[in-house]
Amino acid sequence: MLPDRSFFNRLAEAAKAETLPRFRSGLDVTNKLSSGFDPVTEGDRAAELAIRALIEESFPDHGILGEEHGNVGLDRDYVWVIDPIDGTRAFISGLPVWGTLIGLQKQGRAVMGMIEQPFTGERYFADQNGSIYIGPEGERRLTTRQCEALSNAILFTTSPHLFAGEEMKKYREIEGQVRLFRYGCDCYAYALLAAGHIDLVVENGLKPYDVGGIIPVIEGAGGIITTWDGGRPENGGSIIAAGSRAVYDQAIAILQRS
């Protein structure tokens, strides 16, 4: 038996019970790095433990790749990929663009996923039947926007300061061609892309748990998500996501230019 939408909802509810009470609450923050700033909160750790407990109870033969509590059984046919709070900086700043990312891979390929934003009450879920939005706007099938030109596109990235060298030059070239660009939305940018509100997300330095829950949502809504070299995105790295083939082709031509 495989998980279904109701099981993903159970996982999301378990995570929400740990994250939402701590949001905008003056929570304690721990820095994971000896130099720089990579914050982790009590909510991160507690939410992942809650998700893992349900998975281990219902699907003990599945593997788990998690940000906060290590990995188990990554060689198994089915592996869960968990980011309990994607966008921790937004979380500790009181900005509701963080989310809980839950993904399921089958033999290394992302097949089911959820982006959960409990403060806004939104869930973006994907399985083999496509992608669905559940939230204040009701429930509807997700479909990306078919923007036909980079010059008409809306672009998001977490921060341009994360790029350097040639990556920075390529990113800035794309940014200079789009109609509108915005910063700082973390995983919520991908949710907006799947919902047809924006057209392009370009990022780098992502980990597998940063994209595991996102990939099925983008693909199930008709979008495209790959690495900058056009490969599968499950392992993270430098990532491009687009709502239309036209915008993807125009942007990736810049990213792949030598």
Side-chain angles (χ1 to χ4, degrees):
M1 184 183 73
L2 287 180
D4 56 12
R5 179 173 157 191
S6 65
F7 184 71
F8 271 77
N9 284 335
R10 285 179 62 200
L11 297 179
E13 288 294 331
K16 175 181 176 179
E18 301 295 347
T19 59
L20 195 53
R22 293 175 167 94
F23 184 52
R24 299 181 176 175
S25 67
L27 78 172
D28 185 41
V29 176
T30 301
N31 186 16
K32 291 193 284 188
L33 297 182
S34 56
S35 62
F37 185 58
D38 187 10
V40 62
T41 69
E42 293 175 0
D44 281 281
R45 293 186 288 262
E48 184 172 318
L49 285 175
I51 292 170
R52 294 174 81 113
L54 284 173
I55 292 170
E56 289 164 356
E57 175 188 337
S58 299
F59 300 98
D61 57 335
H62 289 190
I64 299 176
L65 188 161
E67 180 180 13
E68 303 300 338
H69 295 285
N71 306 321
V72 176
L74 298 188
D75 58 343
R76 297 173 187 173
D77 283 348
Y78 289 95
V79 175
W80 293 84
V81 184
I82 305 164
D83 193 345
I85 299 179
D86 179 86
T88 307
R89 289 170 175 80
F91 185 92
I92 65 175
S93 304
L95 190 65
V97 295
W98 55 277
T100 296
L101 304 180
I102 306 167
L104 180 65
Q105 294 182 358
K106 179 181 180 181
Q107 295 175 345
R109 180 93 172 215
V111 292
M112 299 179 73
M114 178 176 280
I115 304 169
E116 152 86 344
Q117 213 312 308
F119 186 77
T120 61
E122 295 176 300
R123 285 180 189 160
Y124 300 78
F125 170 74
D127 62 11
Q128 67 275 13
N129 298 313
S131 297
I132 292 172
Y133 167 91
I134 311 103
E137 301 168 40
E139 181 174 320
R140 64 182 175 88
R141 187 160 295 281
L142 292 170
T143 306
T144 57
R145 183 162 60 191
Q146 291 306 301
C147 181
E148 291 303 318
L150 194 58
S151 59
N152 289 326
I154 299 174
L155 164 70
F156 275 41
T157 194
T158 295
S159 171
H161 297 106
L162 299 174
F163 299 106
E166 283 301 311
E167 285 195 336
M168 173 65 89
K169 290 179 183 177
K170 291 175 179 179
Y171 170 77
R172 288 297 191 190
E173 184 174 345
I174 292 173
E175 184 182 270
Q177 294 189 31
V178 299
R179 178 162 61 94
L180 173 67
F181 56 86
R182 302 295 295 168
Y183 304 147
C185 269
D186 299 294
C187 64
Y188 200 65
Y190 296 94
L192 293 173
L193 189 145
H197 301 305
I198 72 169
D199 307 291
L200 185 63
V201 181
V202 177
E203 299 199 291
N204 70 343
L206 299 187
K207 305 296 185 186
Y209 47 76
D210 293 321
V211 293
I214 288 170
I215 297 165
V217 176
I218 297 291
E219 294 182 337
I224 304 158
I225 179 167
T226 72
T227 55
W228 287 17
D229 62 6
R232 289 296 307 172
E234 275 84 359
N235 290 326
S238 295
I239 298 294
I240 173 175
S244 71
R245 173 60 64 176
V247 167
Y248 174 83
D249 286 345
Q250 291 168 51
I252 204 165
I254 294 170
L255 297 177
Q256 293 183 351
R257 188 181 302 146
S258 58

